[in-house]
Amino acid sequence: MSRIFETPLYPYARSSDQDAETPVRHPVIVVGAGPVGLAAAIDLAQHNVPVVIIDDNDKVSFGSRAICFAKRPLEILDRLGCGEPMVEKGVTWNTGKVFFDERQVYAFDLLPEQGHKRPAFINLQQYHFEKYMVDRVLELQAAGKQIEIRGGSRVTSIKPRPDHVRLTVETPDGPYELEADWLIACDGAASPIRAMMGLDFVGRVFEDNFLIADVIMDADFPTERWFWFDPPFNRGQSALLHKQPDGVWRIDFQIGWDIDRAEELKPENIDRRLRAMLGEDIKYELEWSSIYTFQCRRMEKFHEGRVIFAGDAAHQVSPFGARGANSGLQDTDNLIWKLKLILDGKAPESLLETYDAERIHGADENIMNSSRSTDFITPKSEISRVFRDAVLDLSERYEFARPLVNSGRLSVPCTYDGSPLNGPDCQTMPRRTRPGSPAVDAPLDQGAWLLYRLDGQFHILAIDAEVPDSLCEHGICATSICLSAAGNDALRERYLGDASSAVYLIRPDQHVAARWETFDEPAMREAIDRASGRI
Amino acid sequence: MNNQAELVLTPNIARADDFYANLIAAHEGLTKAESDALNARLVLILANHVGNETVLAQALSAARLAKGE
């Protein structure tokens, strides 16, 4: 076997830090080389911040795990320089079918809006996803950036200090000590860092188990998402079929709470379920199987002094709606530019409070949506099941009931309404690009895309408006991007609305900070100060 | 959305006895489970017809027979 997830990618290698007389201090250490930790490190390296990633493993994700990546995270990955191979490899789908009992109740087409570089989402195994990110790390290293993955290294103790963190790292050569100005814990739902610091992680446990079977088969199913409520092959439960690249199909069986895990995972029992679902004479190879249960919960605060939590370490959701890895990538997108400004002395440390405010808002939104999906898929009372089944029965016949069917609300980007970083809004402009929203993509001349111009720095986006080439405020320079809406309906609809011109201040994470109809220098300076936490 | 909308809690069905008889007739011969399912479908159909969030919230509250309402 030489599957990608069984091959060491970053095996343990001795670091010179292990021979140092006193612990070596790094500006930032990231714990965990999953999608979120890698995204944090790549972002830092692109900002010329030296970074060390510590991971107790030396391979990509074992098994497919996260498989659905939404548009906003793909846009973030474009900024991180690894979106293209992911989208090329990934499976793009738009059609979903919902089955209830023995029949199809309806099919939907997501009809994605035109004029965006990236699709609504792709299916891609987490192991491929992580591999492309590790490739990007190597590319950055080759370009001279200080980014390093230390595999086979496990953090065993952590001592938070007022202005740094001391940690002990266990390796095959024995332990050594390290120091970091800042530590970002991306070490997953069971976060050992969180446990070592004794921080709480409370929320709701869902009493259910799901069996995942990834099977390789030449099947003539179309590239669609199929979801079953109460099917004959899994009575009283649900099931999901999704296509991944390389002829791999993800099948999820809901199997209830009181189960014998070891028994359920026996190949003959998985085989029995698969044949009941796909037919007796199906030919397949089982690539990976697993049983999972889940909780919806989050930490009370996402940072504690110099230790910052991101991804599943900070918040956990049910898998329905693909909000785990997708929200983790939005965490680091939000965090890294703030940390960069703080490290450069261009913003006060209190800017980090807005990472908590904005991403807790995101986490709560995700927890709410994924809890609602779970309650629909697994009704918690008799009457809840009666209404669920009524919705499904009605959906077969009447269109009105279809929006009520909830087999997972796919992750859409979070808008930071009410954020302390938001400046003035302009009411004549479209709601979707109000302050706090992620900038919406739009096609530009010669096959270019708007989001590619928003490259991780502050920018002034001017549409049919006069602005200076750039404006610097307290060391933060926002360079201008000047466009015209003439002949560009997407740009007009998304950024102008009823206004005849527009000036936007866009943050490094591509979120809108403020907007006006015309350029007003004092107002722009104040908005930059506000967006960087100075006022 | 019409913010002036108000839940109607005064008589609004012209032939009340006919409607009531039809409602009971719709359940005739059904098991308890089938009746519960029919009621649930009916609630969903009527709720969609109303549509207005304020009126739906008022209806939920009125149906709870909360004190002081």
Side-chain angles (χ1 to χ4, degrees):
Chain A
M1 281 292 174
S2 60
R3 289 174 182 148
I4 174 177
F5 54 87
E6 290 168 342
T7 312
L9 266 189
Y10 38 90
Y12 168 75
R14 194 176 175 86
S15 155
S16 61
D17 287 2
Q18 285 163 261
D19 302 315
E21 302 240 324
T22 52
V24 175
R25 174 83 68 97
H26 294 270
V28 184
I29 290 177
V30 173
V31 181
V36 181
L38 289 167
I42 291 169
D43 212 347
L44 285 163
Q46 291 191 164
H47 277 108
N48 297 312
V49 177
V51 58
V52 174
I53 311 167
I54 295 178
D55 195 275
D56 57 1
N57 204 330
D58 57 8
K59 305 175 187 70
V60 289
S61 151
F62 190 83
S64 63
R65 298 170 70 194
I67 60 158
C68 195
F69 295 91
K71 178 170 175 290
R72 179 61 200 151
L74 294 174
E75 292 166 352
I76 294 168
L77 290 156
D78 279 336
R79 191 175 61 70
L80 299 181
C82 40
E84 198 61 41
M86 293 175 177
V87 176
E88 253 172 48
K89 177 81 180 177
V91 171
T92 305
W93 60 275
N94 288 313
T95 304
K97 284 183 179 156
V98 176
F99 301 85
F100 180 38
D101 195 354
E102 293 188 329
R103 60 203 201 276
Q104 179 184 325
V105 286
Y106 74 97
F108 58 88
D109 190 333
L110 294 160
L111 290 175
E113 186 184 52
Q114 296 301 301
H116 295 263
K117 166 84 172 168
R118 290 304 176 206
F121 31 79
I122 59 166
N123 283 358
L124 182 69
Q125 295 93 327
Q126 187 173 331
Y127 49 77
H128 284 312
F129 188 91
E130 290 181 9
K131 171 70 166 60
Y132 293 130
M133 295 189 93
V134 172
D135 289 347
R136 177 62 180 154
V137 168
L138 299 177
E139 196 177 280
L140 288 165
Q141 278 172 352
K145 303 286 186 185
Q146 293 183 60
I147 178 170
E148 184 191 339
I149 310 179
R150 296 188 187 171
S153 303
R154 188 163 54 91
V155 177
T156 54
S157 86
I158 171 165
K159 295 188 193 75
R161 304 269 191 255
D163 66 344
H164 70 279
V165 181
R166 167 80 70 99
L167 45 153
T168 309
V169 181
E170 187 64 51
T171 74
D173 287 336
Y176 69 106
E177 305 258 295
L178 277 178
E179 286 182 354
D181 290 336
W182 296 89
L183 184 130
I184 308 177
C186 307
D187 51 349
S191 175
I193 300 286
R194 192 186 62 229
M196 282 183 246
M197 291 180 69
L199 298 170
D200 66 329
F201 198 42
V202 293
R204 184 172 163 202
V205 183
F206 287 86
E207 296 197 332
D208 215 331
N209 287 290
F210 291 80
L211 172 74
I212 301 178
D214 268 1
V215 301
I216 303 166
M217 57 180 177
D218 288 320
D220 54 359
F221 298 113
T223 304
E224 298 173 349
R225 176 188 195 260
W226 288 9
F227 197 98
W228 286 264
F229 292 97
D230 195 14
F233 60 85
N234 198 22
R235 269 298 168 214
Q237 310 281 13
S238 64
L240 174 67
L241 176 74
H242 245 213
K243 190 181 187 182
Q244 305 173 49
D246 313 325
V248 179
W249 295 82
R250 158 70 71 84
I251 301 165
D252 276 46
F253 296 101
Q254 184 188 12
I255 56 176
W257 185 236
D258 289 314
I259 54 145
D260 181 339
R261 291 175 69 94
E263 194 63 26
E264 290 289 349
L265 280 169
K266 283 184 180 163
E268 61 267 32
N269 286 326
I270 294 176
D271 182 73
R272 179 179 49 76
R273 287 183 179 279
L274 289 172
R275 290 190 191 283
M277 177 180 180
L278 303 166
E280 277 306 317
D281 45 5
I282 191 84
K283 287 189 179 64
Y284 71 91
E285 183 198 332
L286 186 63
E287 182 181 67
W288 175 66
S289 65
S290 174
I291 288 181
Y292 66 94
T293 186
F294 52 82
Q295 308 198 2
C296 287
R297 55 185 178 171
R298 69 162 169 85
M299 295 179 73
E300 196 185 333
K301 286 180 64 202
F302 288 0
H303 80 284
E304 185 68 42
R306 293 295 181 103
V307 182
I308 307 163
F309 295 84
D312 282 358
H315 46 75
Q316 201 186 351
V317 293
S318 87
F320 307 112
R323 289 164 188 273
N326 283 313
S327 66
L329 293 164
Q330 291 171 75
D331 288 347
T332 61
D333 188 44
N334 187 286
L335 171 66
I336 299 305
W337 68 271
K338 294 176 181 174
L339 195 55
K340 167 70 176 169
L341 289 183
I342 293 168
L343 283 163
D344 289 351
K346 292 178 181 173
E349 269 190 49
S350 58
L351 179 59
L352 216 47
E353 300 296 331
T354 69
Y355 166 66
D356 281 50
E358 294 184 333
R359 292 314 301 161
I360 283 174
H361 175 75
D364 286 347
E365 202 172 273
N366 285 321
I367 288 171
M368 180 188 75
N369 278 301
S370 85
S371 299
R372 285 175 173 179
S373 301
T374 310
D375 284 337
F376 191 88
I377 292 163
T378 314
K380 300 295 182 293
S381 68
E382 196 190 330
I383 194 66
S384 173
R385 180 174 293 271
V386 167
F387 273 109
R388 200 279 306 268
D389 290 353
V391 165
L392 290 169
D393 278 329
L394 289 167
S395 73
E396 184 175 11
R397 214 172 280 216
Y398 307 114
E399 205 183 327
F400 90 83
R402 292 171 194 166
L404 298 172
V405 175
N406 191 344
S407 64
R409 299 280 180 238
L410 290 157
S411 172
V412 291
C414 181
T415 295
Y416 305 130
D417 282 319
S419 167
L421 303 184
N422 292 352
D425 190 10
C426 178
Q427 298 301 327
T428 52
M429 294 178 193
R431 199 177 137 70
R432 67 193 290 187
T433 41
R434 66 191 183 277
S437 321
V440 181
D441 205 1
L444 302 180
D445 290 343
Q446 284 141 17
W449 295 92
L450 175 60
L451 291 188
Y452 279 63
R453 305 282 300 276
L454 306 173
D455 57 0
Q457 309 295 327
F458 275 96
H459 283 289
I460 295 168
L461 172 65
I463 301 170
D464 298 315
E466 291 287 321
V467 294
D469 290 342
S470 70
L471 185 71
C472 295
E473 172 73 1
H474 288 118
I476 296 173
C477 290
T479 51
S480 297
I481 298 166
C482 297
L483 303 171
S484 173
N488 189 335
D489 290 341
L491 196 63
R492 178 183 305 282
E493 272 167 34
R494 292 167 197 179
Y495 288 90
L496 282 184
D498 297 329
S500 54
S501 64
V503 176
Y504 282 72
L505 175 64
I506 312 274
R507 309 182 342 185
D509 58 2
Q510 302 178 334
H511 279 250
V512 173
R515 59 182 182 176
W516 307 263
E517 286 204 44
T518 53
F519 182 74
D520 172 343
E521 188 179 318
M524 181 61 83
R525 288 188 183 281
E526 191 182 322
I528 294 173
D529 281 337
R530 185 174 302 283
S532 53
R534 284 186 167 269
I535 51 173
Chain B
M1 191 172 62
N2 179 6
N3 292 318
Q4 302 305 309
E6 190 73 39
L7 178 69
V8 178
L9 287 170
T10 51
N12 195 35
I13 301 174
R15 292 150 60 98
D17 288 350
D18 286 357
F19 164 70
Y20 191 81
N22 289 338
L23 179 65
I24 300 304
H27 286 274
E28 229 161 74
L30 300 187
T31 64
K32 171 77 168 77
E34 288 164 347
S35 266
D36 286 348
L38 185 135
N39 278 339
R41 291 195 295 271
L42 187 62
V43 167
L44 293 167
I45 288 166
L46 294 177
N48 182 68
H49 181 80
V50 170
N52 185 292
E53 276 176 52
T54 314
V55 176
L56 289 172
Q58 287 171 350
L60 278 171
S61 165
R64 280 190 208 106
L65 298 178
K67 284 208 171 76
E69 288 182 37

